[in-house]
Amino acid sequence: QVQLVESGGGLVQPGGSLRLSCATSGFTFSDYTLSWYRQAPGKERELVARITNPGFTRIYIDSAKGRFTISRDNAKNTVYLQMISLKPEDTAVYSCNAVGGIPVMQYWGQGTPVTVSS
């Protein structure tokens, strides 16, 4: 049974920080590329950050560069998103995604909401 369960979201003040986690099970985590996406109300879902394996190559959306850090712990089958200097524009539901295998497989979590507001 494949599971991706996000946690760590919540309400924070502008300039605050959050660390999101996505704990997974049921697939070979180390063979998959892991990503964080977000979707704000009325907007399309967008890729925020991505990390590959092996090599841990990282890709970020421009607005996240210098503020967000994606990381993964293959021993714990968990991917993280450390977010600092949060802005109201970061408000969205953040979801983790795993892609890999031949043929390709894709899995999604249900998401964790992040609200940045005074």
Side-chain angles (χ1 to χ4, degrees):
Q1 184 178 5
V2 173
Q3 288 189 310
L4 289 77
V5 181
E6 301 95 337
S7 62
L11 173 64
V12 297
Q13 298 274 83
S17 301
L18 284 174
R19 188 193 190 210
L20 307 183
S21 299
C22 177
T24 75
S25 61
F27 65 98
T28 307
F29 183 88
S30 61
D31 291 342
Y32 281 66
T33 292
L34 277 298
S35 301
W36 286 96
Y37 288 78
R38 68 186 180 191
Q39 186 168 211
K43 298 183 179 180
E44 294 184 352
R45 184 169 58 194
E46 64 180 351
L47 174 67
V48 178
R50 173 167 288 160
I51 183 167
T52 65
N53 192 76
F56 289 13
T57 300
R58 294 168 169 85
I59 298 292
Y60 299 95
I61 191 173
D62 283 345
S63 64
K65 293 177 180 177
R67 299 190 300 123
F68 293 5
T69 302
I70 188 170
S71 61
R72 64 191 291 166
D73 187 336
N74 287 348
K76 295 182 178 180
N77 295 336
T78 300
V79 61
Y80 306 93
L81 186 67
Q82 179 69 55
M83 305 185 292
I84 65 170
S85 302
L86 283 162
K87 306 173 181 179
E89 307 94 274
D90 297 317
T91 296
V93 175
Y94 286 71
S95 302
C96 65
N97 167 272
V99 176
I102 301 174
V104 66
M105 301 292 290
Q106 181 170 223
Y107 305 111
W108 288 93
Q110 289 297 113
T112 185
V114 171
T115 301
V116 185
S117 179
S118 299

